[in-house]
Amino acid sequence: MAGSAQPPAAAGGGGPDGGSLAGGGEAFADRSLSQGLSVLVGLALCVTMLGLGCAVELGQLGQQLRRPVGLLLALLGQFVAMPLLAFLLALIFALDEVAAVAVLLCGCCPGGNLSNLMSVLVDGDMNLSIIMTASSTLLALFLMPLCLWVYSRHWINTALVQLLPLGAVSLTLGSTLLPIGLGVLIRYRHPRAADLLVKISLWSLLVTLVILFILTGTMLGPDLMAHIPASVYTIAVLMPLAGYALGYGLATVFKMPPHCRRTVSLETGCQNVQLCTAILKLTFPPELIGSMYMFPLLYALFQSAEAGLFVLVYKMYGRDSYKQDTLGEEEDTDISYKKLKEEEVAETSYGTVTTEEHNSVQMEPTQTAL
């Protein structure tokens, strides 16, 4: 709990009823297993960031910078709404410092690739989705350590928060710039290869999460469930759901069309769990990683399930209205085109050309009213 100064290795050892994620960290102290997991997490993060870079087109990026609505929405959604939501949930459920840091870290992460895939399935604005994901990732270099520093003040008297490795967090974030930049270069020079890498990164998201669940469960053993209190499960369920709702409300405030509202909703609720797990694994002591590691995995599970329900509901009830809106836009375009053609005919200059059966062409004079 807040105010309890404990050494990091013993922090939050209250068990399932204490709102703690501590415990089970001994398994992660095994050098070979820990190194193997670090390599897997690092590779998964590189593939994810490479795929993100491959999805960004420089032309679209320039347009968004001239009219930075996507940048503003990413800023408000990922670094105002979600960190505040994580902080409030940690307070409401009275989490200790170990669990609170895990929840805050996940809440301060930028958007993830899952939102890009889900935006396609709900007929969202893909350009907006990609720009929001890319811009939130770049903004995270400065805003993620700032948000962690601001919101961890409630637990500042604990040893874990006093030793919060903000420098290592920034270094991990900075290391993502290289694969992102490489991906942008591949998109510019080899568009087909970039399309393939985007698909690979999306599939790697699923495969990596499954492998991490299996490895973590194996390393923690039968005591896994005992180290995950009900409050953590509850937050893992509520946090992405509330993020989707906040994103939709934010887009509504900006008076965006329905397909953009769906896009912003998914962008806000979907977090980059690969980045979160990488930071937890690469920057915190091994004796804590076993307990803290589970929250982003649980968040990934529930954010995917809830986004899947979002898509299912849209396919069942919202697709028809989207088709009607699209049809209406096409009819308006057709009517406008016909009207334009009629005006062009009415404004024909002096004389019109007509053809007759004998392949002759003659000029018929027309009267011009004075």
Side-chain angles (χ1 to χ4, degrees):
M1 299 297 295
S4 59
Q6 309 176 43
D17 298 329
S20 173
L21 280 172
E26 311 83 37
F28 285 86
D30 185 292
R31 177 172 292 273
S32 59
L33 289 176
S34 181
Q35 289 180 347
L37 201 57
S38 297
V39 171
L40 174 62
V41 169
L43 288 175
L45 181 61
C46 287
V47 172
T48 299
M49 295 297 102
L50 179 64
L52 175 59
C54 287
V56 177
E57 293 187 6
L58 294 178
Q60 296 174 358
L61 188 60
Q63 293 176 3
Q64 290 295 327
L65 291 176
R66 288 191 293 270
R67 188 173 178 270
V69 177
L71 180 64
L72 179 59
L73 289 171
L75 172 65
L76 295 176
Q78 297 294 346
F79 302 108
V80 176
M82 291 304 291
L84 180 59
L85 174 64
F87 174 72
L88 293 177
L89 288 173
L91 287 183
I92 292 171
F93 287 92
L95 299 182
D96 67 10
E97 64 274 14
V98 176
V101 167
V103 172
L104 285 175
L105 186 61
C106 191
C108 295
C109 276
N113 285 19
L114 176 66
S115 59
N116 306 140
L117 175 62
M118 293 300 176
S119 293
V120 174
L121 298 178
V122 297
D123 299 314
D125 188 331
M126 273 305 297
N127 289 339
L128 177 62
S129 177
I130 291 170
I131 289 300
M132 285 188 66
T133 303
S135 58
S136 66
T137 302
L138 295 178
L139 288 171
L141 288 170
F142 310 100
L143 295 181
M144 188 175 177
L146 177 62
C147 289
L148 285 173
W149 181 81
V150 169
Y151 287 109
S152 65
R153 298 299 90 191
H154 183 79
W155 297 272
I156 191 60
N157 292 327
T158 63
L160 176 65
V161 174
Q162 289 176 351
L163 298 174
L164 190 62
L166 295 179
V169 171
S170 299
L171 184 61
T172 304
L173 289 168
S175 66
T176 63
L177 291 179
L178 182 59
I180 291 176
L182 179 60
V184 173
L185 180 62
I186 294 174
R187 165 61 65 181
Y188 179 72
R189 293 183 175 273
H190 308 285
R192 291 185 179 179
D195 292 336
L196 178 61
L197 287 172
V198 170
K199 294 178 181 179
I200 292 175
S201 69
L202 291 174
W203 278 106
S204 72
L205 170 65
L206 175 62
V207 174
T208 301
L209 290 177
V210 171
I211 294 175
L212 288 177
F213 267 113
I214 294 174
L215 288 179
T216 305
T218 301
M219 293 167 76
L220 292 178
D223 293 333
L224 173 64
M225 300 303 295
H227 296 303
I228 306 177
S231 58
V232 173
Y233 274 111
T234 304
I235 292 176
V237 172
L238 292 179
M239 194 167 157
L241 192 61
Y244 295 141
L246 287 171
Y248 197 91
L250 185 62
T252 302
V253 170
F254 277 78
K255 298 181 180 180
M256 305 190 76
H259 70 290
C260 290
R261 295 180 189 179
R262 296 192 294 270
T263 302
V264 176
S265 174
L266 290 167
E267 280 295 326
T268 304
C270 290
Q271 301 296 88
N272 191 336
V273 291
Q274 297 100 316
L275 178 60
C276 185
T277 51
I279 291 175
L280 287 174
K281 185 68 183 71
L282 302 175
T283 63
F284 285 88
E287 60 270 16
L288 285 178
I289 193 63
S291 58
M292 299 172 68
Y293 205 68
M294 287 309 300
F295 182 77
L297 296 179
L298 290 173
Y299 189 96
L301 174 65
F302 289 114
Q303 81 171 3
S304 302
E306 292 166 6
L309 290 176
F310 191 148
V311 173
L312 180 62
V313 171
Y314 172 74
K315 295 293 186 183
M316 294 175 62
Y317 301 105
R319 192 70 180 270
D320 293 337
S321 61
Y322 174 76
K323 289 181 178 179
Q324 291 176 1
D325 292 341
T326 305
L327 181 61
E329 291 176 1
E330 292 176 353
E331 290 176 350
D332 290 343
T333 303
D334 186 53
I335 291 172
S336 300
Y337 175 74
K338 289 179 180 178
K339 184 177 179 182
L340 178 61
K341 295 300 291 182
E342 290 174 357
E343 291 177 353
E344 289 178 353
V345 172
E347 294 176 358
T348 304
S349 59
Y350 183 85
T352 57
V353 178
T354 61
T355 60
E356 295 181 352
E357 294 181 358
H358 299 290
N359 296 325
S360 62
V361 178
Q362 77 180 66
M363 186 73 73
E364 294 183 354
T366 57
Q367 299 295 327
T368 303
L370 297 176

